Amino acid sequence: MLVALQTLLLLVVGFLVASTTTTTTTTSTTAATSYAAFQHFNVKEAIASTKIQPSKINAHEEISEHTDHFSDATDQRKWKLKLVHRDKITSTHFSDHRHRFEAHMKRDAKRVASLLHRLTGSGGGGGAAATSTADGVGYEVEDFGSDVVSGMDQGSGEYFVRIGVGSPPRSQYMVIDSGSDIVWVQCQPCTQCYRQTDPVFDPASSASFTGVSCGSSACDRLENPGCHSGRCGYEVSYGDGSYTKGTMAFETLTFGHTAVRNVAIGCGHRNRGMFVGAAGLLGIGGGSMSLVGQLDGQTGSAFSYCLVSRGTESSGSLEFGRGALPVGAAWVPLVRNSRARSFYYIGLLGVGIGGMRVPISENVFKLTQLGDGGVVMDTGTAVTRFPTAAYEAFRDAFVAETASLPRANGVSIFDTCYDLNEFVSVRVPTVSFYFSSGPILTLPARNFLIPVDEMGTFCFAFAPSPSGLSILGNIQQEGIQISYDGASGFVGFGPNVC
């Protein structure tokens, strides 16, 4: 409760100040005060959160809840799912926090490498390359969203929801991914499948399963759709060798007690990659084939999530529908990238340390006319990345304000770490993001100073990007309600916390 209250206070103060502080110059060389310069960080509480606890979620526990509010006149329809971090399901796979952390960072590095390849590599236009199946039929993956990203191998599998697939509904854990535009599950007959928590979905047992024909509009959304025996085939692959292959189908998905019919999903018969028990992936990207895109008429292209903070017993939430959009959020315009429609880009003007704007050119964070650079919000990436020069200036400002804290050697992708084992709490500078149109988001300390072991080693949770792309990761998003209004083109921060 204390952490949530501190987070709320930081958000409220930051947003209030933002209403009177705007930046119009393209290059910031003058420091600007955002609000309080320091905050207190409870070290012992953070260390306690690293202790490996037995999973409290039963393999077949229902973690969906029904909170529909129907009012067509006021457009307040809302579907809500509980959102759980993978550590609640997989914590017993590791002997201690250090091993869990190292595995997390390896996934994260691969996730970022995949995003960079898709957005800046030779693939272009989202980086989805043409692939082909064993029968030689070529597919163009791009219009299915870009790559579906493997939870274990690429890092997208950090947060799970539980939904029903088919009629009658079969409950399945699904990875959520804001950078993907496809919904898919492993299906019987399974030529090649990885292990999952629940039984693999069997289309033969569902009364609502309908194959997608080659001439359907869903299949036409592929630039070069595959067709075999009259059925529309799909294949999504990525650089590390992970993939999902199968046929497209229309199926009923159930959220709590709400059944949504005729959702186009991929029925994967050959899948490679470890999704830590998940049956598949729930893409909530910005393209037409994502769940958000397909439910546009029912949800108004609106959804909201709150990613539960690490080490807590609470659950987060994922809500669909305009009724999920909160009153009192600080709204920031979304930035459209025609080369990567799946991703949610936002306008970031700069960053602050200790209540002072770090002198970094705003051009560093801008999306160019060619679709390069920019700032992407991503649920699958854990650690926020900035272009190297910007990161170094940001880091150096933080180091200057923490000179009194004992340093530790760098760990994994982090080069700025501290030995806080002897402290109960420490005073640390505030960290802020300055967004376009005025809002300033000031983070709670637990969102930028994270434990990497159980011995009191903490690291500054940011890293350099080898390209011009910046990524706002889920560690920095934790505990803050984040809402997307696709119809109006805005993303909101707050006012609620989780």
Side-chain angles (χ1 to χ4, degrees):
M1 181 62 186
L2 179 60
V3 173
L5 179 59
Q6 291 172 337
T7 304
L8 181 59
L9 289 174
L10 289 172
L11 288 169
V12 170
V13 174
F15 291 147
L16 285 176
V17 174
S19 66
T20 61
T21 305
T22 58
T23 303
T24 57
T25 58
T26 57
T27 303
S28 173
T29 57
T30 303
T33 300
S34 63
Y35 92 105
F38 292 90
Q39 61 179 294
H40 288 280
F41 176 52
N42 190 323
V43 174
K44 293 305 180 185
E45 183 180 81
I47 293 176
S49 72
T50 66
K51 305 302 181 183
I52 298 292
Q53 300 291 336
S55 174
K56 294 186 177 181
I57 294 183
N58 183 278
H60 301 284
E61 177 184 346
E62 293 300 326
I63 60 173
S64 301
E65 61 183 55
H66 173 63
T67 58
D68 279 13
H69 300 285
F70 295 101
S71 177
D72 293 337
T74 57
D75 197 20
Q76 293 298 303
R77 178 177 295 186
K78 180 172 67 174
W79 303 320
K80 184 175 182 179
L81 300 172
K82 289 184 180 179
L83 195 59
V84 296
H85 194 275
R86 63 182 288 143
D87 288 348
K88 280 195 171 185
I89 300 173
T90 66
S91 60
T92 54
H93 292 189
F94 303 99
S95 59
D96 56 34
H97 180 72
R98 182 60 175 264
H99 287 90
R100 179 172 61 186
F101 164 79
E102 290 175 347
H104 193 178
M105 291 304 100
K106 287 179 180 178
R107 294 194 309 270
D108 202 50
K110 290 182 178 180
R111 167 72 172 193
V112 170
S114 175
L115 292 185
L116 292 177
H117 175 73
R118 293 160 66 187
L119 296 173
T120 66
S122 58
T131 57
S132 60
T133 60
D135 60 10
V137 178
Y139 300 110
E140 191 68 36
V141 187
E142 182 176 353
D143 284 341
F144 270 148
S146 301
D147 304 347
V148 171
V149 182
S150 162
M152 177 63 79
D153 293 328
Q154 301 278 0
S156 67
E158 299 303 315
Y159 292 92
F160 295 73
V161 293
R162 195 156 171 79
I163 67 173
V165 181
S167 301
R170 302 289 193 264
S171 294
Q172 307 274 295
Y173 282 116
M174 301 286 281
V175 169
I176 67 161
D177 187 357
S178 64
S180 291
D181 282 348
I182 187 171
V183 180
W184 66 269
V185 296
Q186 296 197 115
C187 286
Q188 298 285 8
C190 207
T191 306
Q192 177 182 320
C193 284
Y194 56 84
R195 292 183 62 185
Q196 63 177 64
T197 301
D198 300 289
V200 174
F201 175 68
D202 186 357
S205 66
S206 172
S208 53
F209 184 90
T210 304
V212 172
S213 67
C214 300
S216 71
S217 60
C219 197
D220 286 343
R221 291 176 189 175
L222 291 168
E223 258 182 43
N224 186 21
C227 187
H228 185 67
S229 300
R231 293 291 181 88
C232 180
Y234 83 96
E235 174 179 344
V236 183
S237 61
Y238 10 85
D240 70 340
S242 300
Y243 56 78
T244 175
K245 303 178 183 181
T247 55
M248 294 300 296
F250 292 114
E251 185 54 287
T252 296
L253 302 183
T254 302
F255 304 91
H257 300 295
T258 301
V260 182
R261 297 175 178 82
N262 296 320
V263 178
I265 69 171
C267 192
H269 300 291
R270 295 186 62 194
N271 313 288
R272 180 179 177 182
M274 296 180 64
F275 290 76
V276 198
L281 187 141
L282 194 69
I284 55 174
S288 63
M289 289 297 285
S290 75
L291 183 65
V292 177
Q294 293 191 59
L295 298 183
D296 182 26
Q298 296 163 280
T299 64
S301 295
F303 68 98
S304 178
Y305 60 75
C306 207
L307 306 180
V308 65
S309 297
R310 291 153 287 117
T312 65
E313 294 301 320
S314 60
S315 296
S317 62
L318 172 64
E319 300 180 72
F320 297 98
R322 301 200 67 78
L325 300 179
V327 175
W331 295 98
V332 178
L334 288 167
V335 180
R336 304 296 184 185
N337 185 351
S338 60
R339 289 181 52 195
R341 294 184 178 90
S342 304
F343 294 92
Y344 298 103
Y345 285 80
I346 58 172
L348 180 69
L349 301 179
V351 293
I353 296 292
M356 306 298 287
R357 180 85 170 262
V358 179
I360 300 172
S361 170
E362 293 177 8
N363 291 328
V364 170
F365 303 110
K366 282 187 176 179
L367 180 68
T368 71
Q369 291 184 345
L370 297 177
D372 297 322
V375 182
V376 169
M377 295 273 291
D378 187 38
T379 59
T381 300
V383 177
T384 291
R385 264 74 166 186
F386 294 131
T388 301
Y391 165 75
E392 290 176 349
F394 183 52
R395 175 204 60 199
D396 291 348
F398 185 83
V399 169
E401 296 294 334
T402 55
S404 62
L405 297 179
R407 294 291 297 271
N409 292 330
V411 179
S412 185
I413 64 173
F414 300 132
D415 60 16
T416 303
C417 300
Y418 301 87
D419 180 3
L420 304 182
N421 186 50
E422 299 300 321
F423 296 86
V424 173
S425 67
V426 293
R427 186 170 174 264
V428 296
T430 54
V431 171
S432 304
F433 296 152
Y434 292 72
F435 292 114
S436 61
S437 76
I440 301 170
L441 175 64
T442 298
L443 301 176
R446 65 175 291 123
N447 285 30
F448 61 82
L449 204 56
I450 65 170
V452 299
D453 57 28
E454 299 176 9
M455 306 304 294
T457 305
F458 288 78
C459 294
F460 187 52
F462 295 87
S465 168
S467 77
L469 179 70
S470 296
I471 305 170
L472 187 57
N474 60 50
I475 289 176
Q476 282 65 48
Q477 298 179 49
E478 283 181 352
I480 303 167
Q481 183 179 17
I482 296 176
S483 306
Y484 293 82
D485 183 351
S488 301
F490 285 88
V491 59
F493 295 88
N496 301 318
V497 296
C498 58

